[in-house]
Amino acid sequence: MNKPKLTAKEAIMQIGNLLKMEFTKVEKFNEAKLADGTVVMWDGEIGEGTAIMVVSEDGNQMPAPDAVHELEDGTLVTTVGGLVTSIEAKKEVEAKVEMAEDDTMAKHEERMKAMEDKMAEIETKMNEMFAAYESKFASISESNTAKFAAINAIVEEIAAEPIVVAAKPSNSTFSKKERTMSTIERIAEFKKLSNK
């Protein structure tokens, strides 16, 4: 039985579907500190229209107040009604930004390589599991086939035997004997019937 070869990504997506998970929709909340040490959070990439939440010391979240907030890196974020209306990035030397981008790209490449290795490992394990299950099912199928063949042979043997009908017993301890009537008794019986 030939099964189509799955790619690692397809295998993971099928496993995710079986487990009712969607790996493509993982939400990531980013957080940063303001210059005064207050923690703020937002969903996805920060940009105009992004909702920003202020996290209090006890962990409660509330929309950011209307103001210009300075992040620790110097970025100025203006919010109105808890939504970002403008962002002014800190002015830095472009060389630092390029180096950071190169470092980020190298980290991404390392992560991609690690993920590809992990996917290959998972694919190998899944193939081993499928092979083990196929082997197990094949042995069960062979065992069941042998059992059904044995049952079939027994049934055919029983069917081939002649049908024996039990004979009725001839000597019974209770037998019905006819009563013989004497001639006189017959005449008396005849008279009874004719007098009526």
Side-chain angles (χ1 to χ4, degrees):
M1 179 164 117
N2 289 336
K3 292 185 180 176
K5 182 98 173 156
L6 294 176
T7 64
K9 182 178 179 181
E10 291 171 335
I12 294 298
M13 292 306 288
Q14 283 185 359
I15 291 170
N17 289 338
L18 290 173
L19 298 174
K20 302 292 185 212
M21 294 183 188
E22 294 184 24
F23 293 110
T24 58
K25 293 185 178 180
V26 175
E27 294 182 19
K28 183 178 179 187
F29 290 93
N30 295 311
E31 75 176 42
K33 286 188 178 181
L34 300 178
D36 64 356
T38 305
V39 177
V40 292
M41 294 178 66
W42 62 91
D43 181 22
E45 294 291 324
I46 192 167
E48 289 188 17
T50 303
I52 293 190
M53 304 298 282
V54 175
V55 181
S56 65
E57 290 178 3
D58 59 355
N60 292 329
Q61 298 178 6
M62 61 191 119
D66 298 348
V68 176
H69 307 279
E70 183 179 356
L71 300 179
E72 282 184 326
D73 66 356
T75 303
L76 298 176
V77 179
T78 305
T79 59
V80 174
L83 300 177
V84 175
T85 56
S86 68
I87 299 174
E88 292 181 39
K90 180 180 177 184
K91 307 217 185 304
E92 293 185 16
V93 180
E94 288 185 24
K96 287 184 180 180
V97 173
E98 287 179 18
M99 287 178 58
E101 287 177 0
D102 288 342
D103 288 344
T104 304
M105 191 61 148
K107 287 180 183 177
H108 286 303
E109 288 175 359
E110 286 178 29
R111 287 182 182 168
M112 288 297 292
K113 176 65 176 149
M115 288 175 65
E116 287 173 357
D117 292 344
K118 190 68 173 175
M119 295 285 277
E121 181 183 330
I122 290 171
E123 183 177 6
T124 302
K125 286 182 181 179
M126 285 180 57
N127 288 337
E128 289 172 359
M129 282 180 14
F130 287 135
Y133 281 121
E134 284 178 352
S135 172
K136 186 174 185 176
F137 290 134
S139 67
I140 290 171
S141 178
E142 289 175 13
S143 172
N144 287 343
T145 303
K147 288 176 184 176
F148 284 124
I151 291 170
N152 192 27
I154 292 170
V155 169
E156 287 179 8
E157 184 180 322
I158 292 171
E161 291 181 8
I163 298 174
V164 178
V165 178
K168 293 183 182 179
S170 60
N171 293 335
S172 173
T173 55
F174 301 103
S175 64
K176 187 176 179 184
K177 292 185 178 180
E178 282 190 36
R179 188 172 158 224
T180 56
M181 291 167 80
S182 67
T183 309
I184 296 174
E185 290 174 336
R186 284 189 204 155
I187 294 172
E189 187 72 29
F190 181 71
K191 281 187 178 184
K192 264 189 195 177
L193 290 173
S194 54
N195 286 337
K196 288 185 183 183

